[in-house]
Amino acid sequence: MYFDYKGCCNTKVNTCIIFFKGAIKLKEKLTIGEMAKLRGMTTETLRHYDRINLFKPQYIDSHSGYRYYSIFQYEVLGTIKELRQLGMSTDEIKDYFNERNFSKSLDILKAKHADLVSKLNELTDLEENIREKIVYLDHVARETELQTVMFRELGRRKLITLNEKINNNLELCYGVIRLENMLAEKTPILASNRLGILIQEADLRTKRFEEPSVIFVVAKSKEKIPKQYQRIVPAGLFACIRYNGELLWNRSESLSKIFDYLDEGGYQITGDALQIMHVDITITDKPNEITFEIQVPVQKV
């Protein structure tokens, strides 16, 4: 039987729609190619489902040995396709079809939905982090001035710190890893201005600019970190300077410029300074592109 228009499968009769050059042929038994085409799948996918006993042809021709699907299997295959789109593994789908009932199917779908919501939240956080980093790096690309002291009003910040001083690059590597492992967010400090070290006020006042320093990362508001690892930097006025180079501790020249500027302008420091990794090795291999920013809290005398 042929029709010149598109229709749909009729489960009340042993018929099925197959497209041939614009016409439609209805039949019950389908070859693997016909079933694959009908469901928008590949024949290899159906062969794989057959091999793992997930979805097998219903008929085997006793003479030719050819295997055929029944059109009445269409709904099972459609369900498999939908569950795969939901991210379920073939083993999970097998379990879904094993002794199915309403309550079991509902529970499985609820669990999968919760999993998808969790993954969606992770992707949302990831997108937010990447978007913020792109905005930040675009801003950095427009700023080229180095070794110039400038005053900036900066807001209150919550730092996460191990409260341990870093003496060398080896300790720095392990410190960064430990800080990252404390954060729940995805790609937390890659290519951002959130990682840095604290230069103690006592070392600043005695001009011991290259003393070991405490490493930190600026926390986001959603982070839940034990209080012993938190430190608050109050909002206020900061004298800032940027310099480039590979080494974290090569800051004496920049700090000396800040203090000369403060002395001339009648300012005094009010706390520990922050040295932020402005552009680091996650972004570039070129030493002259690696940039640090020193932020010293100050007030007018």
Side-chain angles (χ1 to χ4, degrees):
M1 182 182 299
Y2 289 84
F3 298 89
D4 292 328
Y5 59 90
K6 292 184 179 180
C8 62
C9 293
N10 184 346
T11 57
K12 295 181 180 179
V13 296
N14 295 339
T15 55
C16 167
I17 302 172
I18 302 295
F19 296 89
F20 292 106
K21 297 181 180 179
I24 303 172
K25 180 181 180 180
L26 306 183
K27 64 180 185 177
E28 179 187 347
K29 293 182 181 180
L30 308 175
T31 66
I32 186 172
E34 290 168 341
M35 179 60 93
K37 184 175 181 179
L38 190 66
R39 271 302 181 186
M41 308 171 76
T42 67
T43 56
E44 180 52 39
T45 295
L46 289 179
R47 291 190 181 96
H48 174 65
Y49 289 168
D50 186 6
R51 288 192 294 267
I52 64 175
N53 296 317
L54 175 61
F55 183 73
K56 303 183 74 67
Q58 188 164 315
Y59 306 108
I60 299 178
D61 190 291
S62 58
H63 299 291
S64 66
Y66 288 162
R67 301 155 71 83
Y68 295 92
Y69 294 92
S70 167
I71 181 56
F72 299 116
Q73 294 178 276
Y74 84 98
E75 193 169 2
V76 174
L77 186 56
T79 302
I80 292 173
K81 183 177 181 181
E82 181 177 348
L83 295 178
R84 288 294 287 160
Q85 290 172 335
L86 292 176
M88 292 180 66
S89 68
T90 53
D91 286 339
E92 289 175 319
I93 296 173
K94 283 183 181 180
D95 180 59
Y96 180 86
F97 281 106
N98 183 32
E99 298 181 359
R100 263 196 307 172
N101 60 64
F102 180 89
S103 178
K104 178 185 176 182
S105 296
L106 179 59
D107 287 344
I108 289 176
L109 290 176
K110 284 182 176 179
K112 179 52 63 176
H113 178 258
D115 182 51
L116 289 172
V117 169
S118 176
K119 290 179 179 177
L120 181 61
N121 289 336
E122 287 185 3
L123 286 173
T124 299
D125 289 344
L126 184 60
E127 186 278 331
E128 178 183 319
N129 275 330
I130 294 175
R131 173 164 37 86
E132 288 177 355
K133 296 178 200 307
I134 290 173
V135 171
Y136 163 70
L137 291 173
D138 278 339
H139 178 72
V140 169
R142 295 191 295 270
E143 295 182 342
T144 59
E145 198 168 18
L146 298 173
Q147 293 295 351
T148 300
V149 179
M150 62 189 75
F151 289 102
R152 295 167 60 192
E153 289 284 348
L154 298 176
R156 178 181 180 273
R157 286 168 285 179
K158 181 171 71 174
L159 308 183
I160 303 171
T161 174
L162 301 173
N163 296 312
E164 298 174 0
K165 290 187 176 181
I166 300 299
N167 295 278
N168 51 53
N169 283 336
L170 181 62
E171 293 179 0
L172 177 65
C173 292
Y174 281 96
V176 171
I177 292 171
R178 290 175 62 192
L179 282 174
E180 285 186 327
N181 289 340
M182 293 174 67
L183 302 178
E185 59 186 290
K186 302 299 180 183
T187 62
I189 55 179
L190 169 68
S192 68
N193 60 339
R194 295 171 58 198
L195 181 66
I197 61 172
L198 289 168
I199 308 171
Q200 291 186 338
E201 181 180 357
D203 292 332
L204 293 173
R205 292 188 182 279
T206 55
K207 305 297 177 67
R208 293 180 297 173
F209 295 146
E210 297 186 9
E211 288 295 301
S213 306
V214 175
I215 190 173
F216 70 83
V217 62
V218 179
K220 290 196 170 183
S221 57
K222 64 183 70 175
E223 289 290 345
K224 297 180 179 180
I225 303 295
K227 286 188 177 180
Q228 65 265 33
Y229 299 115
Q230 295 182 22
R231 178 164 177 174
I232 302 299
V233 178
L237 182 65
F238 290 78
C240 304
I241 192 170
R242 292 180 186 170
Y243 72 94
N244 58 11
E246 292 182 277
L247 298 179
L248 190 67
W249 286 271
N250 289 353
R251 54 180 178 250
S252 294
E253 179 184 353
S254 298
L255 279 168
S256 295
K257 284 189 176 183
I258 287 181
F259 275 84
D260 290 343
Y261 196 91
L262 296 180
D263 290 340
E264 292 175 4
Y267 289 87
Q268 65 180 15
I269 64 173
T270 60
D272 296 347
L274 289 75
Q275 182 176 351
I276 307 290
M277 294 182 183
H278 208 53
V279 176
D280 59 25
I281 58 174
T282 64
I283 290 298
T284 181
D285 291 326
K286 297 180 178 180
N288 65 325
E289 290 184 338
I290 296 174
T291 310
F292 300 94
E293 178 172 287
I294 299 174
Q295 303 168 354
V296 181
V298 299
Q299 64 180 14
K300 191 77 172 178
V301 177

